[in-house]
Amino acid sequence: MALVFFGYVHLPTESGRVSPRTDAYIGAALLVLCLLLYFLYALYFCQITMLHGDEGHYLRVTQSLLHDGDMDLANNLGAEHIGEFHVTEFAVHKAPASPEGKVHSVHPIGLSAALVPAYWWGSRVWPRRCSWCCWLVCASP
């Protein structure tokens, strides 16, 4: 149904001549409209659902990177830390090769590092702090 918008570009014009400039403007407007609708729907969806799967684990590492500057989760396991981005406590996915006294996540740190700016922005601006990051985590491949 969303592809119906693109049929408009192929409709005949009154003069019969097609302007590439007009097509580019229409395409850009449709792209902006669809991206805006997708963005708003994603934020709405993240507000009405609870994090599930590995999203919470990535956000836990992101929180540690932002607040502590490290990927050690040993000092971020309390309920007060989890409450910043999740509504319930959940077990940590500890890497078996974590050094003694440290807790490292089994998940790669790359996505968590990329989420730091969005997490920082969301924690300052958005009422439910995980919304923006949840959308990025859920939308990532």
Side-chain angles (χ1 to χ4, degrees), residues 9 31 36 49 99-101 115-116 121 128 134 138 141:
V9 177
L31 177 67
L36 179 66
T49 61
E100 186 67 33
L115 288 176
V116 168
W121 180 81
R128 183 175 172 203
C134 171
C138 294

Side-chain angles (χ1 to χ4, degrees), residues 27-90:
L30 288 174
L31 177 67
V32 168
L33 176 68
C34 291
L35 285 177
L36 179 66
L37 288 174
Y38 177 71
F39 175 76
L40 292 174
Y41 175 73
L43 288 178
Y44 167 75
F45 182 78
C46 288
Q47 288 293 315
I48 63 170
T49 61
M50 186 184 332
L51 293 176
H52 58 284
D54 291 336
E55 292 99 346
H57 300 284
Y58 285 106
L59 290 176
R60 187 189 300 249
V61 175
T62 302
Q63 179 193 42
S64 179
L65 289 172
L66 182 64
H67 295 305
D68 304 332
D70 62 8
M71 60 184 245
D72 181 21
L73 302 177
N75 57 352
N76 297 55
L77 298 176
E80 66 278 0
H81 296 286
I82 296 170
E84 186 173 312
F85 60 86
H86 206 307
V87 294
T88 62
E89 291 191 38
F90 57 96

